[in-house]
Amino acid sequence: MKNDNTLTSQDLTDINSEEFSQAYQQFVKTADLISLTRQFEQGLAQTGRDNQLSFNVKEAKVSLLDTGILLVEPENSEQPSKSIVISSGIHGNETAPIEIVQQIISDILAEKIQVKHRTLFIMGHPVAMNIAKRFQTENLNRLFCGKYKDIAPCYEKFRAERIESYVSDFFNADKSSDVTNYHYDLHTAIRSSKYEKFAIYPYQGDKPWDKEQLSFMAACGVNTILFGHGPTGTFSYYSSANFKAHAFTVELGKVRPFGENDMANFQAMTEKLTALVCDEDLLLKDFDNDDFNLFEALGDITKVSDNFKLFVDDAASNFTDYPVGTVLSTDTGEEYCTTQLGESVVFPNANVGNGQRAALMVVPTTLS
Ligand SMILES: [Zn+2]
């Protein structure tokens, strides 16, 4: 594996090589996209539909666009149309989402389920998957919306650019006005959470939060929602802001190694995503505030100087709340003190650079 950030075309896999051809044929037979993706971690030299790595299953065409990037298109799409991205492994050690995506792909290739909407499946970061780490050099989920352009060459820079182009081609392929776009970016969290599963709803600007989407999240087993408070470089924000996709970053519990996930814990998520791509009735309940823990952002605790001290334990669960008047951090000439009832901390991390966010502060909210 290359660490020196000088990825060249020689590192990419020639799809005409004997090794790749055999592995690809094996994938067509077994549907094991995890193995294929891990075997050719850097990427393919020939990408997109021009590489002709396509085959048919019952009434659908399956195309491998690149390592970990699989497009499924129904042949007969007279239904009201949806374009759906289901992504996983943007952080390589977050295995449960990768296994969820694998499960749905296995069911499609085994013709157990019938895809009715164009769907792009993504296993985002094969290099990090292989080293069982969140990332190699840079956090991939901060590099979207072109932010990869601002960093030095590394695998994540390369991969973010490629993933953006596949997602952009995917959503742009069908721009008819009756197509609705969706993107569910599945993650697991580093730390434990007071609420095991939660989703971040990307900042919508003037657009209202979509209650039907919240009901969909609840049906997936995710009833804690954090409303985004500004533009970011996350993958879900990229699809939301650029392609008007209904999008979420979904946190499904704690990180575990491959094979150690209790997949029963993700059954609702797998079933509802399957129902969505198969155009089955989603059986959603009407939105009701009482069914949710909704949070809005209050602001960041930012590390300003080397004197910064964060009084939130590194092991503190996400959504831990503090009484009003609790000092949570001090820095040169300033401190952060809680002021709101139910004020809670998310993603605390004292080990950040000066000028970076050390924690996000949130408060409970409801939708009218
Ligand atoms: Zn993640």
Side-chain angles (χ1 to χ4, degrees):
M1 187 184 325
K2 308 257 308 187
N3 271 322
D4 58 359
N5 303 339
T6 52
L7 203 66
T8 69
S9 57
Q10 287 156 20
D11 301 312
L12 301 175
T13 299
D14 180 351
I15 62 171
N16 300 309
S17 67
E18 183 75 8
E19 189 193 11
F20 181 80
S21 300
Q22 277 181 11
Y24 176 72
Q25 286 313 321
Q26 186 70 8
F27 160 68
V28 173
K29 238 187 286 168
T30 63
D32 187 349
L33 188 65
I34 294 179
S35 293
L36 185 72
T37 301
R38 294 181 70 169
Q39 192 176 344
F40 304 98
E41 59 174 17
Q42 305 279 10
L44 305 183
Q46 300 87 357
T47 61
R49 298 164 104 167
D50 295 343
N51 68 16
Q52 298 185 345
L53 297 173
S54 294
F55 56 99
N56 288 295
V57 293
K58 198 171 74 180
E59 290 173 47
K61 183 178 178 187
V62 179
S63 306
L64 183 75
L65 305 183
D66 196 346
T67 198
I69 314 281
L70 195 74
L71 172 65
V72 181
E73 299 164 293
E75 268 156 11
N76 166 16
S77 53
E78 282 160 27
Q79 286 81 11
S81 198
K82 298 176 179 175
S83 294
I84 304 161
V85 175
I86 301 176
S87 57
S88 65
I90 290 296
H91 295 131
N93 60 345
E94 297 176 2
T95 56
I98 300 167
E99 290 176 341
I100 290 172
V101 164
Q102 176 62 59
Q103 179 64 56
I104 300 172
I105 291 170
S106 294
D107 288 348
I108 294 168
L109 268 59
E111 300 183 340
K112 284 186 195 161
I113 60 172
Q114 176 85 62
V115 172
K116 293 285 172 66
H117 297 294
R118 299 173 66 242
T119 305
L120 186 67
F121 293 98
I122 296 177
M123 295 180 181
H125 198 324
V127 169
M129 279 164 75
N130 281 338
I131 55 176
K133 291 223 160 89
R134 198 169 154 77
F135 53 83
Q136 184 178 41
T137 310
E138 294 275 347
N139 182 350
L140 181 55
N141 207 26
R142 299 283 176 276
L143 299 183
F144 292 93
C145 300
K147 292 192 191 303
Y148 61 82
K149 291 175 189 153
D150 303 334
I151 64 165
C154 62
Y155 177 76
E156 286 87 3
K157 180 186 176 93
F158 166 82
R159 186 71 171 166
E161 181 175 11
R162 278 201 161 183
I163 291 175
E164 272 200 5
S165 78
Y166 300 130
V167 169
S168 162
D169 289 350
F170 175 73
F171 283 134
N172 284 331
D174 192 344
K175 281 185 173 166
S176 39
S177 58
D178 57 351
V179 176
T180 310
N181 294 336
Y182 300 82
H183 180 188
Y184 302 101
D185 184 34
L186 310 182
H187 290 250
T188 46
I190 314 170
R191 63 187 61 247
S192 56
S193 175
K194 187 169 158 190
Y195 309 107
E196 194 204 9
K197 299 185 173 87
F198 64 97
I200 301 162
Y201 196 151
Y203 176 64
Q204 296 292 299
D206 295 336
K207 259 175 35 190
W209 308 107
D210 188 294
K211 288 179 178 167
E212 195 181 331
Q213 280 297 299
L214 296 179
S215 294
F216 179 69
M217 279 291 107
C220 292
V222 182
N223 71 343
T224 298
I225 308 288
L226 172 54
F227 295 117
H229 63 309
T232 65
T234 64
F235 196 13
S236 67
Y237 180 77
Y238 169 73
S239 296
S240 172
N242 292 286
F243 307 103
K244 298 192 177 76
H246 291 299
F248 288 89
T249 304
V250 188
E251 300 281 355
L252 290 167
K254 236 186 143 181
V255 165
R256 293 185 207 289
F258 275 118
E260 291 184 21
N261 296 300
D262 175 7
M263 294 312 281
N265 192 21
F266 310 111
Q267 199 180 340
M269 188 87 230
T270 311
E271 282 177 6
K272 289 298 170 185
L273 288 175
T274 299
L276 181 70
V277 300
C278 296
D279 201 45
E280 287 160 9
D281 194 339
L282 297 172
L283 304 168
L284 301 185
K285 207 176 152 220
D286 283 344
F287 175 83
D288 181 343
N289 279 298
D290 291 344
D291 295 333
F292 290 86
N293 307 300
L294 304 177
F295 290 92
E296 63 183 354
L298 202 57
D300 293 342
I301 295 182
T302 305
K303 177 179 173 181
V304 177
S305 77
D306 292 341
N307 294 324
F308 179 75
K309 285 199 179 63
L310 186 67
F311 304 114
V312 177
D313 195 281
D314 262 2
S317 299
N318 278 326
F319 299 102
T320 299
D321 60 308
Y322 297 89
V324 172
T326 309
V327 174
L328 291 185
S329 73
T330 57
D331 207 331
T332 310
E334 54 187 271
E335 62 176 31
Y336 186 93
C337 184
T338 55
T339 57
Q340 312 265 327
L341 207 61
E343 194 168 335
S344 310
V345 71
V346 193
F347 310 126
N349 180 6
N351 296 316
V352 293
N354 292 343
Q356 290 185 324
R357 180 179 86 186
L360 172 65
M361 300 309 298
V362 301
V363 281
T365 186
T366 54
L367 291 188
S368 53

